[in-house]
Amino acid sequence: MEKDRFYASVYEAIQEVPYGKVTTYGHIARLIGRPEYPRGVGTALKNLPSDANLRFNESSVPWQRVVNAKGSISPRGPGSQRRQADALGQEGVEVSQDAMGEYSVNFGEYGWFPELLPSEEAEMAQEQES
DNA sequence: GTTTTGACTAGCT
DNA sequence: AAGCTAGCCAAAA
């Protein structure tokens, strides 16, 4: 199904976000060729399986490295924001919390926004050979 | 089945 | 500058 391919693309793209860096839902959407559907990236993450036997699951996909365009951790279930903030802190990403309780990261220091996925660059290089 | 919600965002007020 | 809208479409209701 098309949606499954979309999910897989989302997970694959997120796996290329480097340790200690963060990117946005919108950026992932653009990287996989669906610039108009950043919301789908969020949906895919919401449905990320916990089952360790599956190819894509909570430990194989660095879900914590995805934040919203404002640089903050998107609100969802209670405690979930805190969990993500902790996960990021674990890998050296500073997460600050404002008076409103909103967690955010500094893109200048931690942002990761390539034009192409590293894997795609590799393919491009491959084609150059002759 | 149909309708509403929502890990979103760029563009307008 | 803070808030609203349209567009998006899978999930949940």
Side-chain angles (χ1 to χ4, degrees), chain A residues 21-22 105-113:
Chain A
K21 294 288 181 180
V22 298
V105 304
N106 183 291
F107 285 145
E109 284 184 65
Y110 307 105
W112 182 80
F113 306 105

Side-chain angles (χ1 to χ4, degrees), chain A residues 33-115:
Chain A
R34 292 298 300 282
E36 72 298 337
Y37 191 39
R39 216 165 178 148
V41 174
T43 303
L45 280 181
K46 180 170 62 179
N47 288 51
L48 179 62
S50 52
D51 187 341
N53 298 319
L54 275 33
R55 166 142 89 117
F56 300 115
N57 61 69
E58 290 174 350
S59 58
S60 70
V61 179
W63 55 271
Q64 72 276 23
R65 315 215 263 248
V66 185
V67 299
N68 65 34
K70 302 192 304 272
S72 55
I73 294 174
S74 294
R76 67 205 99 125
S80 55
Q81 277 175 282
R82 183 61 184 282
R83 273 183 41 247
Q84 184 169 355
D86 289 347
L88 284 173
Q90 207 63 350
E91 48 186 83
V93 177
E94 290 180 47
V95 182
S96 58
Q97 185 175 24
D98 69 17
M100 306 286 283
E102 181 175 283
Y103 294 88
S104 53
V105 304
N106 183 291
F107 285 145
E109 284 184 65
Y110 307 105
W112 182 80
F113 306 105
E115 295 292 321

